[in-house]
Amino acid sequence: MIITTDQGVRGGKLIELKKTVNAALDQCPGVKRVFVSQRTGNQVPAHQLDIPLEQAMASESTECPPEIMDANDHLFMLYTSGSTGSLKGLIHAQAGYLLHAMMAHKFVFDYCPGDIYACVADVGWITGHSFVVYGPLCNGATSILFESVPTYPDPGRYWEMVERLKVNQIYLAPTALRLLLKSGDTFVKKYDRSSLRTLGCVGEPLNHEAWEWYHDVVGDKRCDLVDTWWQTETGAICISPRPSAPNAEIRHGPMRPFFGINPQLLNEEKQEIQGNNVSGALCIKQPWPGLARTIYGNHERFVATYLKDFPGYYSTGDGAHRDADGYYHITGRMDDVINVTGHRLGTAEVEDAMDEHEAVAETAVVGFPHDIKGEGVYAYVILKDGITEPEEQIIAELKAMTKKKIAGYAVPEVVLITPGLPKTRSGKIMRRILRKICAGEKESLGDTSALADPSIVETLIEKHEQLTSKH
């Protein structure tokens, strides 16, 4: 474990941080050593396991002979974010993972020698591993490391970086786009983005409004927009609009399989769904190089989670639609489907409809127990900055939009206006926490250690209780 201290953590806050870390360490007997880096010279209260990182590094040799490894030897272990359950330590192997990451970086992003490439993900997330470190470095690329958040010191930080470093490809998350969209176009247009060729996105389904803003405003309608799908378990990109013919049109949604990936849609009877214009559980039919090898210390869980539900296939846990042209559209997690009076409703579909409201920056929709309907629709909504329209009016308009775009059964029973959502450091929304809150199960929220801002949970609980007390 490595703990770094920076200018944003001082005095009492630093002491509280250390208390939290020390308490966690006392409950983690597997942690043998903790390296602490004092980046700004602040004094850090010491723990008995602490080792000053700079001193330890200074005492080591600068030479490190390479170790000969077998193709299937373990390369690294990475824990999933826990957005749907307890954490899992996924093991990736040497040669296969490196090959997949290298090829995906080169062909999905159209990387060419001399390009300046920027994946702004945290390196502790699989996107950071595959597309900040391993993929780009295997290709000999100049790869930019990004620290902190896209809104500090202001929401133009990404685009200032693009102008200053002449970035050719950028890769980020939908949640970051929605956060920046919330602040308007000014912070984008004040910077020169003419060096950009490829705009990448990963993490969750990219809603239509965010896609258009990314393509039209950030990319000036001239850049390739590759909204990619993959997982910690898959190692690298599995479905994406590119590679394809250079003149092939890229539209919101459609994606095609990457090299060696054989996606299939399966029904509840575990049978492949043939033809086009069909939907089902997204599975992958044959192994590929980047596939994780196991869950650390629990191979039985690996088999049960990914290989048991659909024998002979890798189960992604996501749903997808194959359109009339044979392209794939990711519809979201299979457990994010709500059954409202017998109607199966994808939460992403409702979110996309509500996100088109000009006052809305981001929406998260979940189901909650309903005495009559079985499940009701509950929407958490973040508004853009500077909105003066009354919340009651916005809520009424959102309900009307949902009814018009989908159907009456899709209209949310509850719309909660909130300043934020529980997200992991990688930007994924922890929907299981949202489901627990709206179901009134605040005592059983589960593991929240992966949250970037745990305080938002208490805010949501308080707002939910205030709202329900009125009805």
Side-chain angles (χ1 to χ4, degrees):
M1 180 183 291
I2 298 177
I3 303 170
T4 63
T5 64
D6 57 28
Q7 295 175 346
V9 183
R10 291 175 180 262
K13 289 185 179 180
L14 180 59
I15 294 174
E16 289 303 313
L17 171 64
K18 283 294 297 180
K19 286 181 179 178
T20 301
V21 172
N22 291 345
L25 292 177
D26 290 337
Q27 300 179 39
C28 297
V31 176
K32 302 300 182 183
R33 296 288 185 270
V34 177
F35 295 95
V36 180
S37 174
Q38 293 184 307
R39 296 171 50 198
T40 59
N42 288 327
Q43 292 300 312
V44 182
H47 185 278
Q48 59 182 359
L49 298 180
D50 288 352
I51 298 175
L53 179 63
E54 288 78 10
Q55 293 182 22
M57 292 176 64
S59 65
E60 294 296 324
S61 171
T62 58
E63 297 183 3
C64 181
E67 185 73 20
I68 303 300
M69 306 295 290
D70 185 77
N72 283 312
D73 283 345
H74 293 177
L75 177 62
F76 64 85
M77 176 175 66
L78 188 66
Y79 278 85
T80 62
S81 61
S83 59
T84 58
S86 59
L87 301 177
K88 302 184 289 287
L90 274 302
I91 297 289
H92 278 286
Q94 297 277 338
Y97 168 84
L98 293 172
L99 173 66
H100 192 173
M102 176 183 70
M103 296 289 283
H105 171 258
K106 177 175 176 59
F107 290 104
V108 172
F109 296 100
D110 186 32
Y111 169 75
C112 299
D115 282 350
I116 306 297
Y117 166 84
C119 174
V120 293
D122 189 316
V123 293
W125 179 29
I126 186 63
T127 299
H129 269 56
S130 298
F131 294 104
V132 174
V133 183
Y134 288 106
L137 295 189
C138 281
N139 286 317
T142 297
S143 182
I144 295 172
L145 294 171
F146 184 90
E147 188 177 21
S148 188
V149 296
T151 52
Y152 180 83
D154 62 49
R157 187 174 178 207
Y158 280 168
W159 323 124
E160 183 277 334
M161 176 188 71
V162 169
E163 177 183 271
R164 174 167 45 86
L165 300 178
K166 304 298 184 231
V167 174
N168 303 115
Q169 299 97 0
I170 189 167
Y171 200 25
L172 44 77
T175 189
L177 278 178
R178 292 189 285 264
L179 179 64
L180 297 174
L181 184 155
K182 181 171 179 272
S183 301
D185 301 351
T186 305
F187 287 103
V188 180
K189 294 183 175 180
K190 68 186 290 187
Y191 297 106
D192 178 12
R193 305 169 317 284
S194 59
S195 61
L196 285 173
R197 289 203 324 270
T198 307
L199 308 176
C201 201
V202 65
E204 293 187 326
L206 183 59
N207 61 290
H208 196 274
E209 185 189 15
W211 191 97
E212 288 189 337
W213 187 79
Y214 198 20
H215 179 265
D216 296 353
V217 178
V218 176
D220 291 326
K221 299 183 179 181
R222 58 174 182 78
C223 297
D224 271 358
L225 201 167
V226 289
D227 183 16
T228 62
W229 176 89
W230 57 296
Q231 301 173 318
T232 303
E233 297 84 347
T234 72
I237 295 165
C238 289
I239 307 178
S240 168
R242 293 284 190 257
S244 62
N247 59 350
E249 179 186 8
I250 292 183
R251 309 186 312 276
H252 173 248
M255 294 188 283
R256 57 194 294 140
F258 188 64
F259 305 146
I261 305 298
N262 185 358
Q264 296 292 332
L265 301 182
L266 274 69
N267 58 24
E268 294 180 355
E269 287 72 41
K270 308 183 189 302
Q271 298 171 332
E272 291 184 14
I273 303 173
Q274 304 300 324
N276 292 334
N277 201 22
V278 294
S279 300
L282 178 63
C283 298
I284 302 178
K285 191 172 184 177
Q286 64 191 35
W288 63 98
L291 176 62
R293 298 309 194 252
T294 189
I295 292 174
Y296 180 71
N298 196 342
H299 190 67
E300 293 78 10
R301 185 183 180 191
F302 181 85
V303 173
T305 302
Y306 306 109
L307 306 177
K308 190 174 182 180
D309 287 349
F310 297 93
Y313 300 82
Y314 167 84
S315 174
T316 70
D318 282 337
H321 175 76
R322 189 164 57 231
D323 67 20
D325 298 318
Y327 288 86
Y328 289 84
H329 303 246
I330 307 301
T331 55
R333 300 295 297 173
M334 295 293 288
D335 54 11
D336 284 337
V337 174
I338 307 172
N339 194 322
V340 184
T341 60
H343 298 279
R344 289 178 61 80
L345 178 67
T347 57
E349 184 180 10
V350 184
E351 292 168 1
D352 203 29
M354 298 178 73
D355 284 340
E356 291 192 21
H357 192 289
E358 60 183 10
V360 173
E362 186 170 13
T363 308
V365 171
V366 296
F368 72 101
H370 193 283
D371 292 339
I372 299 174
K373 298 180 179 180
E375 280 189 287
V377 181
Y378 194 113
Y380 298 82
V381 176
I382 300 175
L383 300 180
K384 294 178 182 176
D385 296 338
I387 297 299
T388 57
E389 191 176 350
E391 289 186 3
E392 294 77 10
Q393 182 178 336
I394 293 174
I395 290 172
E397 292 170 355
L398 287 171
K399 291 184 176 183
M401 285 178 63
T402 305
K403 182 176 183 179
K404 181 179 179 181
K405 291 179 176 295
I406 306 176
Y409 64 80
V411 175
E413 294 278 338
V414 183
V415 177
L416 182 68
I417 305 297
T418 172
L421 294 168
K423 297 179 181 179
T424 65
R425 289 181 63 198
S426 66
K428 289 186 178 181
I429 300 170
M430 270 197 174
R431 296 175 188 274
R432 63 178 175 81
I433 291 180
L434 297 180
R435 286 191 286 267
K436 291 286 187 180
I437 291 173
C438 66
E441 301 174 2
K442 64 179 182 180
E443 304 302 327
S444 58
L445 294 177
D447 182 20
T448 60
S449 62
L451 286 180
D453 177 18
S455 67
I456 191 61
V457 176
E458 291 300 322
T459 300
L460 288 173
I461 292 173
E462 182 180 347
K463 281 184 164 290
H464 169 75
E465 292 177 345
Q466 290 174 352
L467 186 63
T468 53
S469 66
K470 296 178 182 178
H471 301 284

